[in-house]
Amino acid sequence: MLELILLLTVALPIAWLYSEYHGERNVRIGFGVASLMMSFGVAWCVGKLDRLQSNIYFSEATKDLIQNTIVELEAGKANEVLEGLKSLRKEFRPTYETRDDYDLLVDTYIHKISEDPIEHQNGTPFWSHETLESYSSEINSSQAPDQPKTSRDSEHDRDEEESSLEP
């Protein structure tokens, strides 16, 4: 699909240019409108992807910041955490133009407050000590007992019943 979009992004303006000298008026207008619409569409997609990348960038670093702060506070290192957070606040200078190396500042902070920091691996939504099973069991245990089951829960229950009926 991506190849087709890239091909159309290049081919439509070329066809438009060709039709300016060799085509009818309706063909020229059609290629022109299609070329402009494709250009706007590609620009919009690139903008959305950049925003998604920014969300990922800040989310990963913030997850490390929160997790390590909780671990160290539970370990009784409140003074070290407070000093580290003050240092992070002092060094963090975001602008609309840059990210101010937020991930590097958070990495410095977590290494400053912890001897063995928990770090988020690139692209993985869990930390190295978490597993998918522990994450899903944590979510399931946080559901209220009176909360209605979803269709996915019902399918899971039905599968368990069918498997228990088989010899």
Side-chain angles (χ1 to χ4, degrees):
M1 182 68 175
L2 180 62
E3 292 85 10
L4 177 63
I5 292 171
L6 292 176
L7 176 69
L8 287 175
T9 303
V10 173
L12 282 173
I14 292 172
W16 182 21
L17 181 64
Y18 181 80
S19 71
E20 284 294 323
Y21 299 102
H22 303 289
E24 296 178 14
R25 183 173 189 264
N26 291 337
V27 174
R28 288 194 313 263
I29 291 172
F31 279 130
V33 168
S35 296
L36 292 174
M37 295 302 289
M38 182 61 74
S39 298
F40 285 127
V42 168
W44 180 81
C45 288
V46 168
K48 288 294 182 183
L49 289 175
D50 184 55
R51 184 177 174 100
L52 178 64
Q53 178 60 32
S54 292
N55 287 344
I56 292 169
Y57 174 84
F58 286 107
S59 296
E60 289 177 349
T62 302
K63 188 172 184 177
D64 289 345
L65 174 79
I66 293 168
Q67 179 66 19
N68 284 285
T69 300
I70 291 170
V71 168
E72 297 307 317
L73 285 174
E74 288 174 345
K77 296 183 177 180
N79 290 334
E80 290 88 351
V81 170
L82 186 59
E83 288 175 24
L85 286 172
K86 285 181 180 179
S87 173
L88 179 63
R89 179 182 64 187
K90 180 181 169 191
E91 295 172 16
F92 185 55
R93 300 273 188 254
T95 68
Y96 71 92
E97 297 169 339
T98 67
R99 297 177 178 169
D100 194 38
D101 295 327
Y102 180 70
D103 60 339
L104 297 175
L105 292 172
V106 169
D107 192 55
T108 303
Y109 162 77
I110 65 175
H111 282 86
K112 186 186 296 186
I113 67 166
S114 179
E115 295 169 5
D116 187 26
I118 301 168
E119 293 187 78
H120 188 249
Q121 301 300 318
N122 291 335
T124 305
F126 309 105
W127 286 287
S128 58
H129 69 281
E130 292 178 325
T131 62
L132 183 59
E133 292 82 25
S134 67
Y135 181 73
S136 60
S137 66
E138 182 179 312
I139 288 176
N140 290 336
S141 66
S142 67
Q143 278 186 334
D146 58 341
Q147 187 175 10
K149 289 186 174 184
T150 62
S151 61
R152 185 175 176 185
D153 293 336
S154 300
E155 290 173 9
H156 179 70
D157 292 343
R158 187 177 33 238
D159 291 342
E160 284 182 10
E161 288 175 21
E162 289 175 3
S163 66
S164 65
L165 295 174
E166 297 175 5

